[in-house]
Amino acid sequence: MTSALMSVYRQAEVAFDHGKGAYIFDVNGRQYLDFNAGIAVSSLGHAHPHLVKTLQDQAAKLWHTSNLYRIPHQDRLAERLVETTFAEKCFFVNSGVEAIECAIKTARKYFYDKGQPEKNRIITLEGAFHGRSMAAISAAGQEKLVTGFGPLLPGFDRVIPGDLDAMKMAITPETAAIMVEPVQGEGGVNPLSDAICRACGPCVMKTVF
Ligand SMILES: Cc1ncc(COP(=O)(O)O)c(C=O)c1O
């Protein structure tokens, strides 16, 4: 089927009309169990009445004011996330790739502010996927992501997943952070071993930070 959309995705010839909980329904009324979940982002399911009402109420009141002003609901959500997770601060963005950009910039700025601007390199894993911005494809480095988009951004050192020694060897005085997916998706379903996840935490905190 022709489309006025840029042909950057190979789309299946199915279009969905609505959803309910874990199910979605195509335009012909066929029901599917939604294992895709918007690629792992529709974690609250589809059309949850509480969420629908909250969104409808807000849409009828105020759409957008920018970050120049206080946003009471944003403050409240940040407080709840800080109370219930490891986080000390929240930064809200619209997409995964913006979260990655924020993480990269935060790691670099941290060392810049400490007077160590040379600490700006980030260790990543072969086969990684961090999104489709220039920084994110440069970090992942996969051929299928980067072909045709060069020159890439510098500052990323890639190691093979699962090789803790290689990761430790890759750490230099210029390393600012290690950025990994605990379970890779695009590179194949590759979980990092518990041992590496555990070792990575202290290794990042002690050796690098
Ligand atoms: C591990 C990982 N990081 C980053 C992204 C990018 O997220 P977004 O498509 O919302 O920019 C994705 C998207 O699938 C992802 O799986």
Side-chain angles (χ1 to χ4, degrees), residues 1 6-7 14 22 28 38 47 59 64 66 92 105 111 127 145 151 154 157 165 173-174 180 191-193 195:
M1 200 175 86
M6 267 177 92
S7 54
V14 56
N28 301 313
H64 178 62
S66 88
F92 293 116
K105 289 171 74 175
F111 285 112
L145 294 174
D157 300 308
D165 289 336
E174 293 182 351
V180 297
L192 272 189
S193 71

Side-chain angles (χ1 to χ4, degrees), residues 127-172:
F129 180 73
H130 297 298
R132 297 179 191 279
S133 69
M134 284 307 301
I137 63 171
S138 302
Q142 287 197 58
E143 206 182 317
K144 66 179 178 183
L145 294 174
V146 302
T147 302
F149 298 120
L152 301 179
L153 299 184
F156 300 98
D157 300 308
R158 268 179 303 283
V159 299
I160 294 169
D163 188 342
L164 183 57
D165 289 336
M167 193 178 268
K168 285 182 176 167
M169 292 279 289
I171 296 172
T172 74

